[in-house]
Amino acid sequence: MRLFYAIMVPQEIQEQLAPIQKHLRGNWRPVKPDQMHITLAFMPQYPEGKSKPLLELGDRISKARDSFDIRLRGTGYFPNEGSPRVWFVKTEAPELQEISEALTSQIDYPFEDKAFKAHITLARKKGPAPRVPPQVFDLSWKASSFVLVQSNLKLSGPTYKILKTFKFRDFGQ
């Protein structure tokens, strides 16, 4: 099963990001606002019924951290602007890298082998499509928790099921 740890984007920020997706043309597939998140660690093929260590790890890490601010400033492309496949929002918060490293270094299972780059995916390109001009904004929110999510791929796009929410120390357990 596909699992990932993530910080979900709060609804008030989703509502501010969703309108910029209206700039998309061609074969871009926008991410549904309620699925917007910052992936902290991704496990593309985790064994069924073996999530207990992941739940315990999430508890340990969340109890050792306080909430923090995440700032959003503008958009970018992966892997590059010349040949984009993903349109995303840049995120700023050093805590995201720290949590990602804590998660991936404390469990004996292979996580996706990509360098961590905190972002919120707005759309994925599925064929020829024009780039969207850079979008600039000034948004932020206080992250109070992260989640463990099960992702199921379907023809209509992925569906997400939150398996557990891990609240940071100052937001209680």
Side-chain angles (χ1 to χ4, degrees), residues 9-17 139-141:
V9 174
Q11 185 174 354
E12 62 270 15
I13 301 295
Q14 295 170 19
E15 291 170 357
Q16 295 182 61
L17 293 176
L139 300 172
S140 66
W141 84 89

Side-chain angles (χ1 to χ4, degrees), residues 119-133:
H119 68 279
I120 299 167
T121 298
L122 291 173
R124 291 179 178 81
K125 196 165 109 177
K126 300 297 180 187
R131 290 186 295 273
V132 179

